[in-house]
Amino acid sequence: MANTCFTDYTFVGEPEKAKKLLADLKRVINTKRKDLGPDTYLSESDWLGWIVRDLLGKDEKTDNIHCGGTFYLEDELTNNEVRFTTSTRWTPCREMFKMLAEKYGLDHYYYAEEIGCNLLETNDDQGMYYTNRYMVTGEDIEDQYFATQDEVLAMLKEQLGKEFGSWEEMREDEEGTYEYNVYEIEIV
C-alpha cells in the first residue's frame, strides 16, 4: 500500500484566468462518472486523472503523467487564488500541475508532505503562500509548523523544557531521540 502525500496548491494570476481554472475544476469534480466498481479511481469525479484527461487533453498512461490520487477543491476564489488539496501516492504530482499552470497562464505554488518518505517540500521560495520552513513532531508533540529556527527552539524550550544555545546543539540532542524530530521543509 502506498504512503499518502498530502499537497496544498495555490494557483494565482490574472482574475479571469483564475476564474476560468476554478470553473473548469468545478466542472471536472461535478461531472457524474460511470460506476466501474470499487477497484478503480475512474468512478470517482475527484480522481486527478480527470484533470489530465478533461483539462489537459492528455492520457495519463500514454503520456506518462503521474496522477494517482484525488483532490478537494475550495469553492471560492480568494484574492484571485485557486486553492485545493490533493492526496496522492508517495509524491506530489509536480509535472501535472506545472502543465495545468502553464495551460491557464497562472503561477502555482505548493506545499507537499509525506513523512513516511521524509518528503516535506515547497516551491514557494519567497514564502508568499507557504511560509513554514520547519515541522516538529514527537512522542508528546502534535505536528507543529514554524517559519524560523528561533520559533522551533522557543517551542522546544516551552513544551519540553529543553534550552539550546544554537541550532547545531539542538540537532546534536535530537540524534537518537524519539522525544522530538525536526524536519526542514525543502525548497524545490
Side-chain angles (χ1 to χ4, degrees), residues 89-111:
R89 295 175 294 183
W90 298 292
T91 63
C93 298
R94 296 175 195 94
E95 290 305 312
M96 175 188 155
F97 288 111
K98 180 180 178 186
M99 289 189 292
L100 192 67
E102 289 171 357
K103 176 179 178 173
Y104 285 85
L106 297 167
D107 293 323
H108 81 295
Y109 301 93
Y110 71 89
Y111 168 72

Side-chain angles (χ1 to χ4, degrees), residues 148-184:
T148 68
Q149 292 178 355
D150 289 341
E151 291 172 345
V152 172
L153 295 174
M155 184 280 298
L156 292 172
K157 179 180 178 182
E158 179 182 315
Q159 289 193 11
L160 299 178
K162 292 185 169 267
E163 189 165 1
F164 301 103
S166 69
W167 186 255
E168 293 74 23
E169 185 182 335
M170 179 275 300
R171 284 299 200 186
E172 287 175 17
D173 182 72
E174 178 190 20
E175 290 285 323
T177 183
Y178 293 105
E179 189 175 16
Y180 67 96
N181 292 297
V182 178
Y183 296 93
E184 292 191 41

Side-chain angles (χ1 to χ4, degrees), residues 114-157:
E114 203 294 86
I115 293 296
C117 292
N118 200 26
L119 184 145
L120 293 97
E121 68 180 40
T122 183
N123 68 340
D124 187 358
D125 62 343
Q126 300 298 310
M128 293 185 301
Y129 301 96
Y130 303 101
T131 59
N132 292 321
R133 298 297 182 241
Y134 304 93
M135 192 265 274
V136 181
T137 190
E139 290 179 331
D140 297 320
I141 301 172
E142 291 203 23
D143 296 354
Q144 296 182 44
Y145 299 85
F146 303 94
T148 68
Q149 292 178 355
D150 289 341
E151 291 172 345
V152 172
L153 295 174
M155 184 280 298
L156 292 172
K157 179 180 178 182

